[in-house]
Amino acid sequence: MPTRVHEFAWPDRVVVGTIGLPGARTFYLQVRAGTQIVSIALEKQQSALLAEKIDEILDQLITVEGNPFSVPTSTPIELVDNDQLEAVQEQFRAGAMSLGWDPTTAQVVVEAYPITDVEADDNDESLDEDGANEPEMLLVRMPVGAARAFAKRTREIVGAGRPTCSLCGYPIDADGHICTLPEA
């Protein structure tokens, strides 16, 4: 069965944002090109790792002699995007993700695949009338400046969560925190 690919080659917007309060936030990777918007749910750790790895790729490209891809060392001010998420309709929850570099277009490439139910009956491959069981994926290609801005915003969003307890390292809830120190 063919996979439905939500592909964005030169998106107008690529951001990670959240819905909810710290401690109960849902993270979304949202991509828009024109009127087409796709939002996929991510784990906080997936968001953080995606930003970290994008920065690693870009930092590594800067070291290439002559920096032929004009990779910025910091986020270009004109690409800063601190706006809220647009209307969110979750397409799927991301499971496996991959990250790469396309030197032919000088773009960072992100692929996201939905979490699969390993216990699903392999014989039940019928599609709903609306194609709800159709396999799908998100494919996003970001130019280097947009990728740098994406990573910066994502780090800020992840860091805006609950503060961490200096004693135990666990998050501190708004209604308090009981710290359990590890035994020596």
Side-chain angles (χ1 to χ4, degrees):
M1 160 182 333
T3 298
R4 180 175 177 206
V5 179
H6 305 281
E7 184 172 1
F8 294 85
W10 292 93
D12 299 325
R13 185 175 197 223
V14 182
V15 295
V16 165
T18 61
I19 295 178
L21 298 173
R25 298 185 298 171
T26 301
F27 285 75
Y28 290 96
L29 169 59
Q30 188 173 76
V31 189
R32 177 178 45 82
T35 58
Q36 180 188 11
I37 299 175
V38 172
S39 303
I40 64 169
L42 298 173
E43 294 297 326
K44 179 180 181 178
Q45 295 82 0
Q46 285 175 305
S47 302
L49 191 58
L50 185 58
E52 177 186 328
K53 295 301 179 184
I54 285 174
D55 272 339
E56 281 181 17
I57 287 173
L58 296 174
D59 291 346
Q60 194 173 38
L61 288 168
I62 288 173
T63 66
V64 173
E65 190 172 328
N67 189 4
F69 305 111
S70 299
V71 177
T73 56
S74 62
T75 301
I77 192 70
E78 66 274 10
L79 296 178
V80 171
D81 181 348
N82 292 321
D83 293 340
Q84 297 291 321
L85 292 173
E86 297 175 49
V88 174
Q89 290 186 333
E90 183 178 314
Q91 194 68 39
F92 60 83
R93 178 165 285 282
M97 296 182 76
S98 67
L99 182 63
W101 170 251
D102 184 348
T104 62
T105 61
Q107 291 178 305
V108 172
V109 181
V110 178
E111 294 179 354
Y113 301 88
I115 292 176
T116 56
D117 184 0
V118 294
E119 296 177 6
D121 182 6
D122 292 337
N123 297 325
D124 186 19
E125 302 246 348
S126 61
L127 285 177
D128 294 342
E129 286 181 20
D130 63 356
N133 291 334
E134 180 180 24
E136 57 189 327
M137 70 169 288
L138 175 66
L139 173 61
V140 181
R141 297 173 181 278
M142 290 183 266
V144 292
R148 189 65 87 182
F150 173 88
K152 179 183 186 297
R153 175 190 165 115
T154 301
R155 283 191 314 276
E156 291 169 355
I157 294 287
V158 168
R162 296 174 289 173
T164 303
C165 175
S166 61
L167 297 174
C168 70
Y170 288 102
I172 300 172
D173 292 322
D175 58 347
H177 173 72
I178 298 175
C179 186
T180 306
L181 295 175
E183 294 181 29

